[in-house]
Amino acid sequence: MERKASVNRTTKETDIAITLNLDGSGKADLSTGIGFFDHMLDGFARHGFFDLNCKVKGDLQVDGHHTVEDTGIVLGEAIKKAVGDKKGINRYGYFILPMDEVLALCAIDLSGRPYLNFECEFTVPNVGELDTELVKEFFYAVSYSAGMNLHIKMLSSGNNHHMIEAIFKAFAKALDQAVSYNPKVTDVLSTKGSL
């Protein structure tokens, strides 16, 4: 049975509709109004084997902040909803991803407790139309609305495009591992009995 979720969120700043299938094949249909952000979400879907439909109308005449942050909020809500009761899944996931000269680490715990540790310094203000400051804001929003511990660390820095892309792909691989079913896990992987 596929684990799918659809979440809509409308405010005065953004109108967002996301459908996520955790058991997909990596297909994406994306329109955020920020080309490089679409490219990153496409990499997330493809490398995590998630099907992702993401339509965003944001106040880009102001800047990209609300669009990127609110997309993170809605994606996090979709992840939380699609995962469900977390019975039988690994819960934890981690990946170290190389992309040419850069090396990015991502580790996830679907604990229900939100926390972000983000260790990455960008050296340019923008990549394409994406403000590099918003990368951290996006993952903060995802971690808090999904209720996950999320650690992202740039082990080897370099080209800012490569750094951001490596982060999104490492996140995809770590999340795929965390939500995957494990035959050894017969209930919820917690001494508390729930997550």
Side-chain angles (χ1 to χ4, degrees), residues 99-153:
M99 185 163 185
D100 297 342
E101 77 286 4
V102 309
L103 190 64
L105 174 150
C106 180
I108 292 171
D109 177 10
L110 296 175
S111 62
R113 297 184 309 274
Y115 188 82
L116 174 68
N117 183 15
F118 188 91
E119 295 181 36
C120 180
E121 299 273 335
F122 300 111
T123 58
V124 297
N126 296 85
V127 174
E129 297 171 335
L130 180 67
D131 181 341
T132 53
E133 271 191 336
L134 298 181
V135 176
K136 181 178 179 180
E137 297 300 321
F138 172 78
F139 286 106
Y140 179 88
V142 170
S143 66
Y144 272 73
S145 60
M148 67 169 69
N149 277 197
L150 176 56
H151 290 253
I152 293 169
K153 186 170 187 176

Side-chain angles (χ1 to χ4, degrees), residues 30 32-42 60 127-130:
L30 309 163
T32 65
I34 302 172
F36 186 71
F37 190 37
D38 286 350
H39 182 48
M40 295 303 97
L41 292 172
D42 185 54
L60 294 177
V127 174
E129 297 171 335
L130 180 67

Side-chain angles (χ1 to χ4, degrees), residues 24-185:
S25 59
K27 296 180 212 161
D29 184 7
L30 309 163
S31 178
T32 65
I34 302 172
F36 186 71
F37 190 37
D38 286 350
H39 182 48
M40 295 303 97
L41 292 172
D42 185 54
F44 163 75
R46 187 176 306 270
H47 290 274
F49 304 102
F50 309 127
D51 290 343
L52 178 64
N53 187 304
C54 178
K55 303 298 177 195
V56 183
K57 290 180 183 172
D59 57 355
L60 294 177
Q61 75 280 4
V62 175
D63 67 8
H65 191 111
H66 301 137
T67 294
V68 174
E69 181 179 42
D70 290 6
T71 300
I73 291 169
V74 179
L75 179 60
E77 289 175 1
I79 291 168
K80 184 176 183 176
K81 191 174 173 184
V83 169
D85 62 12
K86 303 177 188 172
K87 288 184 178 177
I89 66 168
N90 284 316
R91 173 182 167 178
Y92 298 98
Y94 59 92
F95 206 83
I96 298 175
L97 190 130
M99 185 163 185
D100 297 342
E101 77 286 4
V102 309
L103 190 64
L105 174 150
C106 180
I108 292 171
D109 177 10
L110 296 175
S111 62
R113 297 184 309 274
Y115 188 82
L116 174 68
N117 183 15
F118 188 91
E119 295 181 36
C120 180
E121 299 273 335
F122 300 111
T123 58
V124 297
N126 296 85
V127 174
E129 297 171 335
L130 180 67
D131 181 341
T132 53
E133 271 191 336
L134 298 181
V135 176
K136 181 178 179 180
E137 297 300 321
F138 172 78
F139 286 106
Y140 179 88
V142 170
S143 66
Y144 272 73
S145 60
M148 67 169 69
N149 277 197
L150 176 56
H151 290 253
I152 293 169
K153 186 170 187 176
M154 190 56 55
L155 301 176
S156 295
S157 298
N159 177 280
N160 287 259
H161 181 130
H162 293 166
M163 290 164 67
I164 296 169
E165 191 163 346
I167 287 169
F168 272 82
K169 289 177 178 177
F171 174 64
K173 303 301 283 182
L175 183 62
D176 181 44
Q177 184 181 76
V179 302
S180 291
Y181 286 110
N182 184 331
K184 294 180 182 178
V185 181

